[in-house]
């Protein structure tokens, strides 16, 4: 807002030069932070817009939420899996699935101030189990990634039967490009969200631990999705 004031001490100067301009600014304080929430599929996750702050301190405030840049409808029209409290301060996700992974942004506007909080929800879909198969059979080693994951997937095999153990990166073949001798191939493809691989004509030496992992290009932020212990049993002759 601009306010104009005439300075009467400037009577000897032309009127336009006797104007003093006062500039009044309305300052809006802005607070921003990011938090990470890790949760498992099938659970219920309830989190506040601003952790550590009292809900009643924002009574009457305008609170809005976004999920991956898409607005979350206000109560009571919020989605079936994404439920807001009547005042919008809390968000509930139930039941949690891999589709809920992503960025949740909350903005509070109250008394000429604005707060922003970004919650990064990570769904831990990792699992560990044992597969027992007969020698000569075909087995699928499953691995499914969250929709938000963009990192490259690698399969590894750890053979604890070897002295000191060895960890080897596997290179599954494209289904349409397999040649004689290729026994490990992608079930769907290396660029799909389902990174399951198929091992054909299983041999006794295939027994060991198999890992499905993702990592950023620089090797940081390694995430394990599946750990499978493959046990191969010999067939009776």
């Amino acid at each position: 807002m601009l306010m104009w004031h005439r300075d009467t001490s400037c009577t000897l100067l032309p009127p336009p030069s006797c104007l003093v301009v006062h500039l009044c600014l309305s300052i809006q304080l802005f607070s921003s932070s990011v938090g990470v929430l890790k949760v498992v599929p099938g659970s219920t996750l309830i989190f506040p817009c601003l952790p550590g702050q009292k809900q009643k301190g924002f009574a009457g405030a305008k609170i809005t939420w976004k999920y991956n840049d898409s607005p979350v409808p206000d109560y009571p029209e919020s989605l079936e899996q994404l439920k807001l409290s009547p005042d919008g301060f809390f968000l509930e996700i139930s039941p949690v699935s891999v589709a809920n992974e992503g960025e949740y942004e909350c903005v509070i506007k109250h008394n000429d101030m604005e707060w922003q909080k970004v919650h990064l929800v990570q769904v831990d879909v990792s699992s560990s189990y044992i597969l027992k198969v007969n020698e000569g059979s075909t087995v699928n080693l499953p691995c499914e990634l969250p929709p938000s994951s963009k990192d490259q997937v690698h399969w590894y095999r750890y053979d604890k039967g070897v002295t000191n153990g060895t960890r080897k990166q596997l290179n599954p073949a494209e289904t349409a490009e397999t040649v004689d001798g290729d026994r490990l191939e992608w079930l769907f493809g290396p660029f799909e969200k389902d990174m399951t691989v198929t091992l054909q004509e299983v041999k006794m030496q295939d027994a060991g631990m198999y890992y499905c992992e993702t990592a950023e290009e620089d090797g940081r932020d390694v995430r394990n999705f599946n750990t499978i212990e493959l046990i191969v049993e010999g067939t009776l002759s």
Side-chain angles (χ1 to χ4, degrees):
M1 179 176 64
L2 292 176
M3 298 180 61
W4 297 89
H5 171 68
R6 179 180 294 275
D7 190 344
T8 56
S9 64
C10 301
T11 53
L12 297 179
L13 298 176
S17 302
C18 298
L19 295 179
V20 179
V21 178
H22 297 274
L23 183 62
C24 299
L25 299 177
S26 176
I27 300 177
Q28 185 182 59
L29 299 180
F30 181 79
S31 175
S32 177
S33 59
V34 178
V36 178
L37 301 172
K38 294 186 178 181
V39 65
V40 296
S43 61
T44 295
L45 176 63
I46 302 176
F47 53 98
C49 179
L50 294 178
Q53 300 293 326
K54 294 183 178 180
Q55 180 180 9
K56 62 182 181 181
F58 297 96
K62 175 62 176 177
I63 304 178
T64 57
W65 288 81
K66 287 184 179 180
Y67 168 51
N68 290 339
D69 293 328
S70 296
V72 176
D74 293 334
Y75 175 90
E77 287 80 20
S78 49
L79 304 178
E80 182 177 350
Q81 271 193 316
L82 304 180
K83 304 172 185 177
L84 291 177
S85 60
D87 61 357
F89 192 75
F90 287 92
L91 177 64
E92 175 183 338
I93 306 175
S94 181
V96 173
S97 70
V98 292
N100 300 127
E101 187 169 83
E103 182 177 291
Y104 294 80
E105 179 188 57
C106 175
V107 175
I108 296 180
K109 295 182 179 180
H110 187 53
N111 294 336
D112 296 327
M113 297 182 68
E114 181 175 299
W115 290 264
Q116 181 192 45
K117 177 71 177 182
V118 176
H119 303 270
L120 297 179
V121 175
Q122 296 180 352
V123 181
D124 184 5
V125 295
S126 63
S127 59
S128 178
Y129 49 90
I130 298 174
L131 282 178
K132 290 185 178 182
V133 298
N134 292 325
E135 185 180 13
S137 62
T138 296
V139 62
N140 288 333
L141 306 179
C143 181
E144 185 173 355
L145 306 184
S148 59
S149 178
K150 298 180 181 179
D151 297 326
Q152 188 174 4
V153 172
H154 297 288
W155 275 94
Y156 296 91
R157 176 174 175 266
Y158 176 79
D159 189 352
K160 59 184 179 182
V162 179
T163 304
N164 296 325
T166 57
R167 177 181 165 94
K168 177 183 178 182
Q169 181 174 334
L170 304 177
N171 297 297
E174 293 276 7
T175 302
E177 299 177 359
T178 56
V179 296
D180 291 341
D182 286 336
R183 297 188 298 114
L184 185 67
E185 63 183 29
W186 297 106
L187 181 61
F188 297 105
F191 303 106
E192 303 295 331
K193 290 300 181 183
D194 190 333
M195 307 301 295
T196 298
V197 293
T198 300
L199 180 60
Q200 300 179 358
E201 300 178 8
V202 176
K203 300 180 180 181
M204 297 297 293
Q205 57 265 34
D206 292 327
M209 303 295 294
Y210 290 79
Y211 303 89
C212 174
E213 297 179 352
T214 65
E216 296 180 356
E217 292 183 358
D218 56 6
R220 297 181 303 173
D221 193 23
V222 176
R223 296 184 64 185
N224 175 272
F225 288 96
N226 265 3
T227 300
I228 303 171
E229 181 179 1
L230 183 64
I231 298 177
V232 182
E233 298 180 338
T235 57
L236 297 177
S237 55

